[in-house]
């Protein structure tokens, strides 16, 4: 018995205490360790269940004397997110831990921790399908390459799925992308392994040299854009095609649109202009500086339960965080709007304007938008 357990045993002999969990891990860093389970709705950053570091690679947590135990305590350890949950020595997921103890000591061990949802298993990778390399965009008199990422078991299932329309497909899963990629295929693989994230992603390639013009909505500091026509294409042409060719859940509460930078801006406008179509918006580092006088009239939105996942990095520009915080503040200024819209603002003070940071945020956004009914 180690010295930690000796001290704890002495304490238990003199005082009635709740169950104490002792965790040893081979991998350690500055991030805190949390316990989540069937006693707190599996919340991963519940400060009431944050473990105390008691030595090198060792953590402990003691339940209070008046804690109401479920019949069987089910739990897992994480570094504060399902993207950083415990895994075994080979990188495999671990099953739920369990105990029926209400007192004494429960010794536990974690070999490794996931980082940014990785590693992943090949068998869970989504099926990548090229819908067309020349999909017609009648609103712009152009064609475009468009992809579908389907759940790994799509062909052996009869299930219907929610859909997320994402801009800039060149940078989403292409290993040869000039600026790196979001690795959404790998992130979706790990999410599927945990039985979350079964979703269809429709990835639309950008217009190369005309990208900014195509994503620019109306008259802005960048001049006159074609964003309104592009939004009409995704909403009026592409979505009906997707719904007729794939097993989709067509309702707005199962339909999302998203992107980063200018792709985030045009996605934001898509959701604001067509709230009856898009109930989920994934907006990363939006180029709000393009429309400094953006007027937000959300009170006219007749639909309820719009969710916006808004992300920004502190090392992107001098005004990025200011812009997104102002957008959230202005959006939620009305009591009417507060009942209709939920905004999850995620800030990474060290985040840069790059695919690496948007990749980090992608699975968190997908989970919060589509698969987490509990508001954190």
């Amino acid at each position: 018995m180690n010295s930690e357990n000796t001290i704890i045993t002495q304490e238990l002999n003199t005082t009635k205490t709740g169950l104490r969990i002792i965790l040893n891990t081979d991998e350690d860093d500055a991030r805190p360790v949390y316990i989540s389970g069937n006693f707190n709705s599996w919340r991963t950053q519940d400060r009431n269940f944050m473990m105390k570091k008691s030595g090198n690679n060792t953590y402990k947590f003691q339940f209070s004397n008046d804690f109401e135990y479920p019949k069987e305590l089910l739990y897992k350890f994480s570094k504060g997110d399902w993207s950083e949950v415990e895994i075994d020595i080979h990188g495999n997921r671990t099953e739920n831990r369990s105990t029926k103890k209400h007192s004494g000591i429960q010794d536990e061990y974690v070999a490794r921790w996931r980082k940014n949802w990785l590693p992943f298993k090949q068998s869970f990778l989504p099926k990548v399908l090229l819908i067309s390399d020349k999909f017609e965009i009648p609103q712009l008199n152009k064609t475009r390459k468009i992809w579908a990422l389907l759940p790994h078991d799509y062909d052996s299932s009869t299930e219907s799925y929610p859909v997320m329309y994402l801009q800039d497909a060149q940078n989403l899963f292409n290993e040869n992308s000039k600026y790196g990629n979001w690795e959404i295929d790998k992130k979706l693989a790990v999410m599927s392994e945990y039985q979350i994230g079964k979703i269809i992603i429709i990835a639309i390639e950008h217009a190369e040299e005309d990208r900014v013009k195509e994503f620019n909505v109306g008259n802005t500091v960048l001049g006159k854009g074609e964003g309104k026509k592009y939004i009409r294409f995704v909403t009026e042409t592409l979505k009906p095609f997707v719904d007729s060719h794939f097993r989709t859940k067509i309702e707005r509460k199962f339909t999302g649109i998203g992107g980063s930078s200018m792709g985030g801006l045009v996605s934001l406008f898509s959701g604001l202009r067509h709230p009856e179509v898009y109930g989920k918006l994934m907006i990363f580092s939006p180029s709000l500086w393009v429309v400094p006088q953006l007027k937000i009239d959300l009170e006219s939105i007749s639909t309820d339960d719009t969710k916006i996942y808004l992300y920004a990095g502190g090392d992107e520009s001098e005004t990025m965080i200011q812009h997104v915080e102002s957008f959230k503040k202005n959006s939620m200024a009305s009591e009417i709007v507060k009942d209709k819209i939920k905004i999850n603002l995620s800030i990474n003070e060290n985040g840069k304007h790059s695919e690496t940071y948007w990749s980090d945020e992608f699975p968190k956004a997908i989970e919060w938008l589509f698969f987490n009914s509990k508001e954190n």
Side-chain angles (χ1 to χ4, degrees), residues 246-372:
F246 299 97
R247 298 194 309 275
T248 65
K249 295 182 177 180
I250 65 174
E251 298 86 355
R252 65 177 300 278
K253 67 179 179 179
F254 300 115
T255 305
I257 190 166
S260 61
S261 194
M262 286 296 292
L265 184 66
V266 76
S267 298
L268 179 61
F269 274 108
S270 299
L272 298 181
R273 293 173 68 88
H274 295 284
E276 77 286 356
V277 176
Y278 306 106
K280 320 288 186 185
L281 309 183
M282 191 180 78
I283 313 300
F284 293 171
S285 309
S287 301
L288 292 169
W289 61 270
V290 173
V291 280
Q293 303 303 318
L294 175 63
K295 296 180 180 179
I296 306 170
D297 179 19
L298 299 179
E299 291 192 9
S300 60
I301 294 179
S302 58
T303 50
D304 293 336
D305 194 27
T306 293
K307 298 179 74 174
I308 303 175
Y309 192 100
L310 187 61
Y311 164 79
D315 200 16
E316 296 192 51
S317 72
E318 293 182 359
T319 59
M320 176 60 76
I321 291 180
Q322 175 188 333
H323 278 310
V324 296
E325 288 180 340
S326 294
F327 173 81
K328 180 178 180 180
K329 179 181 178 181
N330 295 338
S331 299
M332 308 306 287
S334 166
E335 290 297 326
I336 297 175
V337 172
K338 285 183 179 180
D339 293 333
K340 296 180 178 180
I341 296 179
K342 296 179 177 67
I343 299 180
N344 185 333
L345 177 57
S346 175
I347 300 291
N348 181 346
E349 294 293 344
N350 299 315
K352 301 181 185 298
H353 199 76
S354 76
E355 275 68 23
T356 298
Y357 292 91
W358 301 325
S359 173
D360 290 349
E361 213 66 24
F362 170 76
K364 300 173 186 178
I366 291 293
E367 182 178 11
W368 183 80
L369 287 170
F370 290 95
F371 303 103
N372 183 4

Side-chain angles (χ1 to χ4, degrees), residues 20 34 61 92 110 149 163 171 189 201 203-204 225 229 252 255 260 264 274 300 307 311 329 344 365:
R20 185 173 295 203
Y34 296 84
F61 179 84
N92 299 314
V110 169
L149 279 73
V163 183
N171 302 328
I201 302 291
I204 311 161
K229 294 179 180 179
R252 65 177 300 278
T255 305
S260 61
H274 295 284
S300 60
K307 298 179 74 174
Y311 164 79
K329 179 181 178 181
N344 185 333

Side-chain angles (χ1 to χ4, degrees), residues 4 8 21-24 51-61:
E4 172 74 15
I8 294 169
I21 296 180
I22 306 298
L23 171 66
N24 287 283
M51 303 190 76
K52 181 179 180 180
K53 190 165 187 177
S54 58
N56 291 334
N57 300 50
T58 304
Y59 294 81
K60 63 182 179 181
F61 179 84

